[in-house]
Amino acid sequence: MVVTSCWCCFLWLSLALPSTHCGAKISSNNFLDYLNRMFSIENIFLIGFVAFIIAILMLDMLVIDRKAHVVSIKEAATWTFVWIGLALAFSAFLWFFGDMVHGIQNYADLQAVAAKYARHLTLDPNHFEASVQSYRHYMTISYLSGYLIEKTLSVDNLFVMMMIFASFGVKNTEYQHVLNWGILGAIVLRFIFIFAGAAIIQRFEWVLLIFGLFLVYSGIKMYLDRNKQEQIDVQHHPMVKFLSKYFHVYPHFVGDHFFVRAKKQGGNYTLVEHGQHGLLCLTPLLITVIVIEVSDIIFAFDSIPAIFSVSLDPYVVFFSNIFALLGLRAMFFLLAAVADKFRYLKVGVSLLLLFIGVKLLIHKYVEISAVGSLFFIIAVIAVSIVASLVLKEKPKASENHE
């Protein structure tokens, strides 16, 4: 179902978005030439990338983590490093072969792509290889910046996920199951949001100013609310109320099932035996997944505009988003044990949002280099983590009184 939706979205966007391939000359006898006439090189590359990511997720969900269990810190740390390693390996690919993403084969191709995604980049028509290398390096630095931004912002989303699990009473053995489906859904939604957003920006560049204002507002709000204790009222959550109104909801968890069949007598539900007729009911586990997806949509309103601040290339934005999302589950289990240690991380995130928002607002007048942005992002993350570990938390007034 999810894979089908992803393919449908891809085909629609392939038709809706103009191709940036510039008609490079390839042998007509080559099968790639036929594919190039049917699809742009960009879309062919994207199909391969999406297929690779889906294969990894299916392997992870159906083979590696098929049996539900409590994830240890050691296991979470191992998988965190594995996903980070994959993300860095892809950055190495972009560093040496990034031009393949856009099918750049001559200077005209490079000029057309740079005009859309990197107008400030200086190209030399007399040195094609050097110009291509410059664009590859720009792609890589933008990708790494986007990856770090998404990783950092997602920490706040992980705290929300922890609250959702606690509020809905999900067993820790089922965390993996819920997170797997949540991440898979997030990938599909990001695909739609990123490429739709890129199409809007290409047509209405002033949208970047709206993104900038929203990010500045988000940064200020996050800083002011950094010490606020957030809670989720399950009974009055809008999505829970909506699902309870229009669907039958079984009140108890039933293993890892999203749907069950039950008979309703008055206000009570009773499970029926396998093969017997009954009402198709949603379980609290499925509602938890849906609530997490809704929270990710809200989170995407910050993260996607933020990454567009470092690159207007939807492929770079998508790649950085996906690799950050892939490691989200492992990072969840890693941070769950030490979440209270990083009390200055929200300050760092709010500062990043402010920086990114201002960068978008002034991009017409002041160009902040990709390298400069990357170093600033790394510095903010490093200072936030070090400050959290080194500076001791001041005792509360009530504790001093005692």
Side-chain angles (χ1 to χ4, degrees):
M1 178 71 176
V2 173
V3 177
T4 304
S5 301
C6 191
W7 275 98
C8 289
C9 292
F10 169 74
L11 290 174
W12 179 81
L13 287 165
S14 297
L15 295 172
L17 295 178
S19 170
T20 61
H21 184 67
C22 299
K25 293 181 180 179
I26 306 173
S27 172
S28 59
N29 294 327
N30 195 322
F31 180 63
L32 186 61
D33 185 38
Y34 170 75
L35 290 178
N36 190 38
R37 292 197 302 271
M38 299 300 293
F39 302 99
S40 71
I41 293 296
E42 292 168 335
N43 289 342
I44 295 172
F45 188 92
L46 188 61
I47 290 174
F49 180 81
V50 171
F52 172 71
I53 295 303
I54 290 175
I56 289 177
L57 286 172
M58 291 299 103
L59 177 67
D60 190 24
M61 293 171 63
L62 302 178
V63 179
I64 299 173
D65 288 325
R66 187 174 182 180
K67 187 177 180 181
H69 64 285
V70 178
V71 177
S72 65
I73 294 179
K74 181 180 178 181
E75 182 183 350
T78 301
W79 278 108
T80 297
F81 284 116
V82 168
W83 293 121
I84 291 175
L86 276 174
L88 293 177
F90 191 78
S91 72
F93 168 80
L94 291 178
W95 184 268
F96 294 106
F97 308 105
D99 54 300
M100 291 176 59
V101 175
H102 296 295
I104 297 172
Q105 298 182 9
N106 53 47
Y107 185 77
D109 289 351
L110 176 60
Q111 198 172 32
V113 172
K116 289 187 73 174
Y117 306 134
R119 296 172 191 169
H120 64 281
L121 208 61
T122 303
L123 304 176
D124 186 351
N126 298 318
H127 296 87
F128 173 63
E129 286 301 326
S131 296
V132 169
Q133 188 177 39
S134 177
Y135 188 77
R136 289 176 191 146
H137 295 175
Y138 171 75
M139 283 184 73
T140 307
I141 293 168
S142 300
Y143 162 81
L144 289 173
S145 297
Y147 176 77
L148 287 173
I149 289 172
E150 180 68 21
K151 272 291 187 189
T152 307
L153 295 181
S154 64
V155 171
D156 191 53
N157 198 34
L158 289 176
F159 292 147
V160 175
M161 288 183 184
M162 291 176 195
M163 286 192 297
I164 292 172
F165 284 139
S167 301
F168 280 84
V170 180
K171 292 182 179 179
N172 54 7
T173 53
E174 297 299 333
Y175 285 0
Q176 281 180 296
H177 191 58
V178 174
L179 288 171
N180 280 337
W181 285 104
I183 290 170
L184 194 58
I187 288 174
V188 176
L189 291 173
R190 295 301 174 85
F191 180 92
I192 298 169
F193 289 162
I194 289 169
F195 283 91
I200 292 170
I201 290 170
Q202 286 294 322
R203 289 162 175 78
F204 311 104
E205 194 174 348
W206 50 265
V207 169
L208 289 174
L209 298 177
I210 297 177
F211 285 173
L213 288 171
F214 181 76
L215 290 172
V216 168
Y217 165 78
S218 296
I220 294 172
K221 187 175 186 301
M222 180 174 287
Y223 179 78
L224 295 176
D225 295 342
R226 65 191 184 282
N227 296 320
K228 185 178 179 181
Q229 296 295 324
E230 297 182 45
Q231 292 182 337
I232 296 176
D233 187 349
V234 174
Q235 297 299 325
H236 297 93
H237 191 283
M239 184 53 63
V240 175
K241 290 171 71 174
F242 172 81
L243 292 172
S244 300
K245 182 177 180 180
Y246 294 102
F247 299 92
H248 297 288
V249 178
Y250 189 71
H252 306 293
F253 288 91
V254 185
D256 60 357
H257 294 286
F258 288 151
F259 299 95
V260 292
R261 289 202 174 272
K263 290 182 179 179
K264 186 177 182 181
Q265 296 177 337
N268 299 318
Y269 286 90
T270 306
L271 289 175
V272 300
E273 296 293 331
H274 182 70
Q276 292 184 352
H277 294 290
L279 299 171
L280 184 64
C281 303
L282 313 183
T283 68
L285 197 65
L286 178 60
I287 294 177
T288 305
V289 173
I290 294 172
V291 171
I292 285 178
E293 294 294 355
V294 171
S295 73
D296 184 73
I297 292 173
I298 297 169
F299 168 70
F301 281 102
D302 278 344
S303 68
I304 292 176
I307 299 180
F308 272 122
S309 74
V310 296
S311 177
L312 295 178
D313 187 338
Y315 298 89
V316 171
V317 174
F318 182 65
F319 298 150
S320 59
N321 248 259
I322 297 311
F323 277 108
L325 284 173
L326 286 174
L328 195 62
R329 190 195 63 190
M331 195 166 72
F332 171 87
F333 292 108
L334 194 61
L335 285 179
V338 294
D340 58 328
K341 304 293 183 184
F342 299 107
R343 63 185 184 280
Y344 288 109
L345 201 55
K346 277 205 171 186
V347 177
V349 171
S350 63
L351 182 59
L352 273 182
L353 288 173
L354 281 171
F355 167 74
I356 293 163
V358 171
K359 185 173 184 285
L360 283 175
L361 291 174
I362 65 173
H363 78 282
K364 281 283 189 181
Y365 313 100
V366 180
E367 183 63 42
I368 300 175
S369 70
V371 175
S373 297
L374 178 60
F375 280 132
F376 182 83
I377 293 164
I378 293 172
V380 169
I381 295 170
V383 170
S384 300
I385 293 174
V386 171
S388 299
L389 298 176
V390 173
L391 299 179
K392 294 183 179 180
E393 188 174 7
K394 292 181 180 179
K396 297 179 181 179
S398 59
E399 293 176 359
N400 288 334
H401 182 71
E402 290 176 2

